[in-house]
Amino acid sequence: MKQNFTVRQGALDGVEAFLSVAQHRSFRKAAGELGVTPSAISQAVRALEERVGAVLFIRTTRSVGLTEAGERFLTRAKPAFEELVAASEVARELGQRPAGLLRLTVPPAVVPILLEPLIASFCQAFPEIEVEVAANEELVDIAAEGFDAGIRLGQFIAADMVAVRLTPSFPLVVVGSPEYLRRRGRPERIDDLRQHACIRMRRSNGSIAPWSFVIGKKPIEAVVSGPLIAHDFPTMLGATIGDMGLAQVPEPIAAGPVKAGKLVRVLEVFEPVAPGVFLYYPSRHQVMPKLRAFIDHVKSRADAADKTRIHIDDRQTPATKMR
């Protein structure tokens, strides 16, 4: 059964007029304060009295006073109305300038690689915004959980979300430590993974993710096995560096260890390409200034990075580009 509203529709109508008359003890002065006619103030108060079911003012030709009902109404209504006005001002400020708490849900792996430099520069540019980062591998309902936005791989973002690119597309790479590859050999074909220890990822829905590959342009999935099931990429990477086996991870996550010689890429010819990492949020029509500032900051950083890459590419020789 449909329930009635606790506060009836229009219940606040006339309250501001009542409070002004009660303060000035004058309908004329209240009208001047609120910028309306004395007749409008009188009608608003009369309508309020009808809804309340009691006379609130004693009116004479010379003065205006409060009835007992009016005194009690004033005692409760004045602080409540002032608090409502204050709440409106706070909300209006947050709706007009970049300020307040910006809550982001992100996977742990992107925090040191992508988010830390971005957050540092953003906080310097917008000191009135506090940023809260909740590192979580699980896909959360950002609206229900009170987040302003999230960061995820593009393939995991729902179609009804607005997405802003944070990184270019990148391959998913299979990596192993030099010591592990020395012991077990380097896989040359996807079927060779049957003979290897593969570190796997359990998804937030409970299933274990297969490894993805492409043969030519055809995507395929391989069910692999191994000694460890992880819930996040950093754990997988640490186990791989520790010689436990092979892991398939996003290339940006493995780039540092590969460059340092701690890991080696294998099966490169079969690497699939992931869409990249995106910032996402529910609707263009509900964007608060704090989130809009973050989106613009993300876009400006991405544009600067693109220009830097183009500048570097322009300085390369044709032979270098071919490599």
Side-chain angles (χ1 to χ4, degrees):
M1 180 180 295
K2 184 177 180 181
Q3 296 180 343
N4 294 327
F5 288 110
T6 303
V7 179
R8 297 191 307 275
Q9 184 176 3
L12 296 179
D13 293 349
V15 173
E16 186 174 17
F18 165 81
L19 294 175
S20 185
V21 173
Q23 177 184 355
H24 297 290
R25 294 298 196 269
S26 167
F27 282 78
R28 180 178 57 79
K29 290 181 179 179
E33 179 183 65
L34 299 179
V36 296
T37 64
S39 176
I41 292 292
S42 180
Q43 291 175 12
V45 170
R46 190 175 298 112
L48 176 64
E49 290 176 324
E50 289 177 359
R51 290 200 311 277
V52 170
V55 176
L56 302 177
F57 289 109
I58 302 172
R59 305 167 177 86
T60 71
T61 56
R62 294 182 301 277
S63 63
V64 175
L66 286 164
T67 64
E68 182 181 2
E71 291 283 3
R72 292 191 179 187
F73 189 84
L74 176 64
T75 300
R76 302 291 293 272
K78 184 178 179 181
F81 190 80
E82 289 174 348
E83 185 62 27
L84 182 62
V85 171
S88 299
E89 289 299 322
V90 170
R92 183 179 296 111
E93 286 184 8
L94 292 178
Q96 293 177 346
R97 63 187 177 89
L101 177 63
L102 180 69
R103 301 188 71 226
L104 304 173
T105 172
V106 304
V110 309
V111 174
I113 297 173
L114 176 66
L115 206 56
E116 285 180 357
L118 185 65
I119 293 297
S121 60
F122 177 74
C123 289
Q124 290 177 356
F126 296 94
E128 291 188 84
I129 299 178
E130 296 177 322
V131 180
E132 179 181 344
V133 176
N136 195 332
E137 285 292 347
E138 295 185 4
L139 296 174
V140 301
D141 185 331
I142 60 176
E145 297 295 330
F147 290 100
D148 295 287
I151 294 175
R152 284 293 183 271
L153 292 173
Q155 62 265 41
F156 299 129
I157 297 175
D160 61 346
M161 292 286 150
V162 181
V164 179
R165 180 176 290 279
L166 294 178
T167 72
S169 300
F170 49 71
L172 298 178
V173 301
V174 177
V175 291
S177 69
E179 173 60 21
Y180 173 84
L181 295 174
R182 185 189 66 77
R183 293 198 323 258
R184 303 288 294 270
R186 184 187 182 106
E188 301 294 341
R189 301 178 304 163
I190 296 172
D191 284 346
D192 293 343
L193 294 175
R194 299 176 186 273
Q195 311 303 321
H196 283 269
C198 298
I199 299 164
R200 295 164 292 163
M201 166 82 80
R202 188 178 295 279
R203 292 168 169 162
S204 59
N205 64 5
S207 65
I208 295 177
W211 286 14
S212 299
F213 298 99
V214 290
I215 298 179
K217 294 184 178 180
K218 181 181 178 181
I220 67 168
E221 290 185 340
V223 176
V224 297
S225 61
L228 178 66
I229 299 172
H231 286 233
D232 57 76
F233 289 126
T235 300
M236 296 177 70
L237 206 63
T240 309
I241 293 172
D243 309 326
M244 286 189 65
L246 304 176
Q248 187 177 54
V249 297
E251 188 274 336
I253 294 175
V258 169
K259 185 177 181 180
K262 296 179 180 180
L263 293 176
V264 177
R265 284 169 68 169
V266 298
L267 300 174
E268 294 177 80
V269 70
F270 304 111
E271 291 175 351
V273 176
V277 177
F278 291 78
L279 172 78
Y280 66 98
Y281 55 96
S283 171
R284 299 181 193 277
H285 305 295
Q286 300 174 1
V287 178
M288 296 289 286
K290 60 184 179 181
L291 179 55
R292 172 53 57 194
F294 188 69
I295 293 169
D296 292 343
H297 188 74
V298 165
K299 288 181 176 179
S300 66
R301 299 261 305 186
D303 290 343
D306 287 342
K307 290 178 181 178
T308 300
R309 281 194 294 270
I310 292 171
H311 180 63
I312 292 173
D313 287 344
D314 288 343
R315 287 160 46 192
Q316 293 175 338
T317 65
T320 304
K321 292 183 182 180
M322 291 178 64
R323 289 199 299 269

